[in-house]
Amino acid sequence: MADGEYRPATLDEVRRLRAELNLQKKKLVFTNGCFDLLHAGHVRYLKQARALGDALVVAVNSDASVRALKGPTRPIQSQNDRAEILSALRSVDKVIVFDDQRVTKLIEDIRPHIYAKGGDYTIESLNEEEHEALEFVRADIKILPLVQGRSTTATVNRLLGNTAPEKEIVVASPPGGLRLGVLGSGKGSNFAAIISAIKRGELNAAVAVTISDVQNSGVMKLAESAGVPAVFVDPGPEPNKLAKPAQKEICDHLKKHHVDVVVLAGFMRVLKSPVLSTFKDRIVNVHPSLLPKFKGLDAPQQAIDEGEIESGCTVHLVNEELDGGRILEQATVPIHIRDTAEKLHERIKEQEHKLLPKVLNEWRERGLPVWSEGKK
Ligand code: GAR
């Protein structure tokens, strides 16, 4: 190592620090993140995290893990540089670099007394495996408020000369970009993944409108806070079906917002004409199984019940047949021995969040007509 060159902490060093603090009845605070471009929001957050205990250890995602999480254009700075910058902060005692997308293993190895996370999370939305590990090591989980108006994305946009507020980036029609109409019934994590990909510049698109059959659903709330028009359409009395007036109303909203591509992101009712005929070969669905296996509801549970060793997700075109249109791309996910449907579904969703924006962007790059010539 050259003179003065920085070296992140090793796991052994962090574990020793934890042991020393424990002896002195002091508390180790632990947090993690990419910290690609350090901004005042990070600095304030880390200061607050440090104030929760007696020493702060920050785990920084390795370059490979940032790429896997945020796409090929990130990180902007190398893992060593990011770690070195963080370690210069008065609030930070040690910085360790980790290679996974999750910190489950580090939580188990370090056993922090306190775990701090930024306010874009709630205790419920923490990753299930990480949450379990935190409970197992009896760490106190603290969600700290986000510092408004400071983000790496906003900084990158300013550097690129894109001064439009983030809300406008999401809803404005970019040149050559797709205008998406997103339909969802649930939490909206796929919707959030689309928005993030747009903000990161990895999906040249705008979300023109979001439509939900469930009032106050997660997807509606996310759309509202992203500044995307969010419409509730009353689905009618039958479960999983959409009454005729609802089919028409949805079609009218999509037309009114000049939608190019309709994205079913966890939309749990069956679409028919006029949407199918008006947007023929321009409707994509994401489904949590390796189609044609396990169509319909509870696909992760179906895969477990069948004793499969792997499952995954599929992005496909939508036609009259339930989950039956042309398959565009799939990603596989292993099924673990002790998997529950919830755990498996969560891991499948992590893949969906990458696959769906990627397929949409590829579609944009190839141009709509190519797929329209498809057989199905
Ligand atoms: C996703 O896993 C999606 O594949 C599934 O609903 C979930 C929605 O999650 N869709 C279906 O099962 C459709 N047959 P989200 O609301 O968090 O995006």
Side-chain angles (χ1 to χ4, degrees), residues 185-191 219 265-268 285-288 296-299 313 323 345 348-349 352-353:
S185 311
K187 251 184 161 177
S189 66
N190 278 289
F191 171 84
V219 68
F267 189 64
M268 305 311 274
N285 181 38
V286 58
H287 182 78
L297 295 177
D298 303 321
C313 55
D323 299 325
H345 197 174
I348 291 176
K349 277 185 169 193
E352 292 182 349
H353 300 161

Side-chain angles (χ1 to χ4, degrees), residues 153-170 172:
T153 308
T155 312
V156 170
N157 283 331
R158 273 197 298 279
L159 283 173
L160 294 172
N162 192 349
T163 49
E166 282 187 13
K167 283 186 177 177
E168 282 173 29
I169 298 170
V170 175

Side-chain angles (χ1 to χ4, degrees), residues 32 42 45 57 98 147 158 208 245 259 286 291 297 308 342 351 369:
N32 62 287
H42 289 138
Y45 166 77
V57 173
F98 71 107
V147 182
R158 273 197 298 279
V259 163
V286 58
L291 288 173
L297 295 177
E308 297 283 323
E342 291 72 31
Q351 294 305 316

